[in-house]
Amino acid sequence: MQILLRRHAGGMGRLASLDVLVNEQKICSIERNETKVIALPDDGGTLRVEMQSAVSSTSVRIEPENDGRLFACGSSWWVPFDFFSLCYLGFLNNRVFYVRPVSA
């Protein structure tokens, strides 16, 4: 199965690429405003993005019924307000980015 993944420019890591991980294995990188076709196992899997192994999104389970669906990733809404770089704290570092399905 496969999905489309669209990266929004966002605030965090505008100039850096994001690594795309399927089942915790890096499969590619994605640049800002880029869309990529992401292959997943036929029975689905988990999808997550991360930047330089330091900050990431939470893992999202992609089910087989999402075959061909568009997902978006980017930096979370609160990151531009993170003046003290709290995003590197353990309880926030996997919430700096998001991965979510785009409405039909």
Side-chain angles (χ1 to χ4, degrees):
M1 76 175 267
Q2 64 185 18
I3 62 164
L4 293 172
L5 182 63
R6 170 87 176 141
R7 179 180 173 191
H8 296 283
M12 179 80 165
R14 285 183 82 100
L15 302 177
S17 61
L18 292 180
D19 293 332
V20 179
L21 292 91
V22 171
N23 295 330
E24 296 304 314
Q25 298 294 317
K26 179 183 173 185
I27 60 162
C28 66
S29 294
I30 189 167
E31 305 292 331
R32 66 183 178 153
N33 297 321
E34 183 178 21
T35 302
K36 286 208 170 182
V37 175
I38 306 297
L40 290 106
D42 289 337
D43 61 344
T46 60
L47 178 69
R48 164 172 92 85
V49 295
E50 73 177 12
M51 185 179 72
Q52 301 172 346
S53 299
V55 291
S56 69
S57 68
T58 56
S59 291
V60 174
R61 175 80 185 152
I62 309 293
E63 299 294 339
E65 57 266 16
N66 288 309
D67 189 23
R69 189 163 185 190
L70 175 64
F71 284 75
C73 66
S75 57
S76 296
W77 66 269
W78 59 269
V79 173
F81 304 105
D82 186 17
F83 302 113
F84 301 109
S85 292
L86 298 174
C87 64
Y88 292 100
L89 296 176
F91 62 93
L92 289 176
N93 69 358
N94 67 347
R95 289 174 169 73
V96 172
F97 297 102
Y98 65 84
V99 174
R100 61 179 170 238
V102 174
S103 305

